[in-house]
Amino acid sequence: MNKRFLIAVGLVVAAPATAYANCDTPSQYWDGDFRPDYSYPAGCTAQQNSREVQIHLNDAVSRALATSFGLGPDEMMPAGMTGLSEDEALKRLVGGNGIHIDPTADVPAAAPSPKWNSWLDGKYTWNDNGDRNFDLDGPLFNGLLGVDYKLTSKVTLGLLGSVEASHYDGDGVDTRSSGVGGGAYVGIMLTDNIVFSANTLLSDITTKQSGDVRYEGPRWQTSGAVTGYWYKDNWRFTPAVSISWSKEWMNAKSGPVTDQTVETAALTPSIQIGKTLHLSDKTTMEPWAGAALDYTFLSRTKPEGLDASNDPNADLRVQVGLNFGFGSNAQLALTAEAGGLLNKDLNTYSGEANLAIQF
């Protein structure tokens, strides 16, 4: 009998002793195109989805808190004066007969700022994996719904719900997942320009893999961030840094597989730059662009009874968007993003929409 065939059979039989359900499988567990962990792409799906959902959660919570605290340009210029410099605007106010200035006593008092902020956010991501990640290609949809209350001018508390679904087709295998969850978030104004935020989300996830493999179990995610908001002549500069952690307990319900846990943690510095344009006296539009570097320093999947290794990786994402303001109590944000600029094994392309209303 062919010796190569006997060696291959022996490796397949021995595979469970070194199997890894990990998109970042260490190279010592590879033998050319042979994959001893090929029976475990569900773990790869779980690891990938947890990172994408955390990215979405962090972005949505950051946007919600900025809205809740009313962060924005210091002054909204009246329509027709948006092209004027500060000196030109002052000259018009102090000279000429075409400007009427009401006495202070006749100016109505400013309306109190809203305490409540509600928002809805949906994101669609197309994932394009390489051969090392089982060539798993397909969409992930995740949606978030949140409401928060401004306890003081410096502190906001919120609750949120989530829903997600994915379907990836790979090299001879496919995976599907779905889940719902709930969580909370908090924002604290450390200074007039710096916000600390934290969020946590607990989800119930079901993952299915071709071959009658099914997992069920909880996923817990939490993160903290410090974000700066600086404005100059309607320009916005928003640097931020966040740290996040996620762990999923995948309990095997069917198929020739064992329980496994998937754990990730990442550090993400980011920057956004935008400029507010006044379309009318009640409508604004802010085009913006940004970038984020995701350093995943913990990337580990551990099947029950087996060893696991950590395989850190880094990726760069770029974003562009449009933020619309309607009056003083409604906003719409549209975002497009491309990831995988540093990760040769995974490219992502996404679109996101966020609607917020204050009351």
Side-chain angles (χ1 to χ4, degrees), residues 16 19-21 39-40 42-43 213-218 248-262 301-308:
Y20 278 74
S39 298
Y40 299 92
V213 173
R214 184 168 65 91
Y215 291 97
E216 294 179 0
E248 183 173 342
W249 291 264
M250 302 179 68
N251 303 314
K253 298 299 182 179
S254 64
V257 291
T258 61
D259 296 349
Q260 55 184 318
T261 56
V262 177
T301 304
K302 186 182 183 305
E304 183 179 356
L306 304 179
D307 294 330

Side-chain angles (χ1 to χ4, degrees), residues 93-314:
L93 290 175
V94 300
N97 298 322
I99 298 288
H100 174 72
I101 302 176
D102 291 327
T104 304
D106 295 337
V107 177
S113 61
K115 295 286 188 179
W116 291 94
N117 174 47
S118 60
W119 52 274
L120 177 66
D121 195 303
K123 185 175 182 179
Y124 176 93
T125 304
W126 179 265
N127 296 271
D128 183 8
N129 278 283
D131 290 341
R132 191 167 184 260
N133 293 353
F134 308 103
D135 196 26
L136 290 167
D137 300 335
L140 165 67
F141 169 79
N142 47 307
L144 295 168
L145 173 67
V147 61
D148 54 66
Y149 181 77
K150 189 162 56 176
L151 296 177
T152 71
S153 61
K154 303 293 185 181
V155 179
T156 290
L157 293 178
L159 297 175
L160 58 90
S162 71
V163 60
E164 64 182 88
S166 70
H167 182 196
Y168 301 135
D169 286 318
D171 187 3
V173 66
D174 70 84
T175 66
R176 295 175 181 265
S177 72
S178 60
V180 295
Y185 59 96
V186 61
I188 302 173
M189 290 283 295
L190 302 179
T191 72
D192 291 341
N193 302 100
I194 299 176
V195 176
F196 167 78
S197 62
N199 63 73
T200 187
L201 178 67
L202 181 63
S203 303
D204 183 43
I205 307 297
T206 297
T207 302
K208 298 179 181 179
Q209 179 185 309
S210 54
D212 193 33
V213 173
R214 184 168 65 91
Y215 291 97
E216 294 179 0
R219 181 178 67 212
W220 182 28
Q221 299 174 271
T222 187
S223 72
V226 176
T227 307
Y229 297 89
W230 281 272
Y231 294 88
K232 176 64 175 176
D233 297 332
N234 284 354
W235 283 91
R236 174 174 64 91
F237 302 90
T238 306
V241 61
S242 67
I243 186 168
S244 59
W245 172 86
S246 174
K247 188 169 185 177
E248 183 173 342
W249 291 264
M250 302 179 68
N251 303 314
K253 298 299 182 179
S254 64
V257 291
T258 61
D259 296 349
Q260 55 184 318
T261 56
V262 177
E263 190 172 11
T264 64
L267 179 68
T268 303
S270 63
I271 181 69
Q272 290 184 6
I273 300 175
K275 184 175 183 180
T276 299
L277 307 175
H278 303 273
L279 305 182
S280 71
D281 57 344
K282 293 184 178 181
T283 305
T284 63
M285 179 180 69
E286 183 200 49
W288 63 271
L293 177 66
D294 301 309
Y295 173 56
T296 305
F297 56 87
L298 178 60
S299 179
R300 180 170 60 202
T301 304
K302 186 182 183 305
E304 183 179 356
L306 304 179
D307 294 330
S309 72
N310 182 39
D311 222 358
N313 61 82

Side-chain angles (χ1 to χ4, degrees), residues 29-54:
Y29 293 98
W30 284 73
D31 181 14
D33 291 332
F34 177 70
R35 303 167 184 161
D37 60 352
Y38 191 75
S39 298
Y40 299 92
C44 179
T45 295
Q47 188 183 96
Q48 186 168 306
N49 286 354
S50 66
R51 284 195 295 257
E52 293 293 331
V53 170
Q54 189 66 66

